[in-house]
Amino acid sequence: TVALVQKSGGSFALVASVAQPGRVFVGQEGLASIRKVGDRWQDEGSLPGITDQIRSLFEDHNGALWLGSRGTGVLRLRFPAASPDGGIGAAKIERFGPGDGLPSMSSNGVTGIDGELRFATTAGIYRFVEGSRRFEPDPRFAGLFAEPRAITGVTEVPGKGLWLATENTTSELKQSGLAARQA
């Protein structure tokens, strides 16, 4: 049996947690969670404090959950130790925006490239530097385009490269293409 996390507007993203086995996070107008208990799925409802439209999700190697939003920057959630009943507990929520190096509050997607957290932004692919708590362009993608490009979608093809959906920020021309790996 599957419990459905229902909310008007639908769901945009799912991620199965590695840090919290049996739990799936659901990005929607807010963030919901479902958890497998025995052979059934339990609707844990929406997490308090998050009303943003969550379009993408990524769990990093430390178990933190990163949320890409439509118009409110990037969020990072850190969860306390699991409660004895397996419940999710309250999360520490951090919010990031242009003051932290993101080029814009809107259209920030979280994704994994080579298993590492990256961000599809209105100015290309960015990374987060924990030591400085700043976002910066990923140098591996510098010079990929002759003109400024917003990255609107990233799909990794293992061993080959990345399919990128892009938009020229000047002409608004939308294109997709494979960014092939180079030696």
Side-chain angles (χ1 to χ4, degrees):
T1 303
V2 175
L4 296 177
V5 178
Q6 296 182 0
K7 206 162 198 180
S8 64
S11 298
F12 303 107
L14 297 170
V15 68
S17 177
V18 173
Q20 301 177 52
R23 179 163 282 124
V24 174
F25 291 102
V26 183
Q28 47 191 213
E29 294 287 340
L31 180 70
S33 173
I34 57 176
R35 180 171 55 110
K36 191 166 189 179
V37 179
D39 63 347
R40 302 184 74 130
W41 286 93
Q42 176 182 343
D43 180 352
E44 296 184 299
S46 295
L47 278 70
I50 301 172
T51 57
D52 317 67
Q53 189 178 94
I54 305 303
R55 293 291 186 126
S56 56
L57 301 164
F58 185 84
E59 186 179 72
D60 70 19
H61 298 298
N62 298 316
L65 185 65
W66 290 84
L67 289 65
S69 76
R70 182 166 187 236
T72 54
V74 169
L75 293 81
R76 175 169 58 178
L77 279 59
R78 293 185 182 164
F79 297 94
S83 65
D85 68 354
I88 195 164
K92 178 184 176 192
I93 302 170
E94 298 171 274
R95 293 180 173 273
F96 301 95
D100 304 297
L102 284 172
S104 171
M105 286 295 279
S106 63
S107 301
N108 292 294
V110 296
T111 190
I113 299 176
D114 295 330
E116 296 294 323
L117 174 66
R118 291 298 181 263
F119 303 87
T121 75
T122 58
I125 297 176
Y126 275 54
R127 64 184 180 182
F128 182 73
V129 180
E130 186 66 49
S132 63
R133 294 183 45 82
R134 304 265 318 151
F135 292 84
E136 62 183 32
D138 186 327
R140 293 181 299 169
F141 302 98
L144 191 59
F145 301 105
E147 69 283 328
R149 290 285 178 131
I151 306 297
T152 57
V154 177
T155 301
E156 187 171 20
V157 181
K160 298 222 184 263
L162 303 171
W163 277 103
L164 301 174
T166 70
E167 182 175 349
N168 181 309
T169 56
T170 305
S171 69
E172 298 182 1
L173 175 68
K174 295 178 182 179
Q175 294 179 310
S176 297
L178 180 68
R181 293 191 183 278
Q182 305 294 308

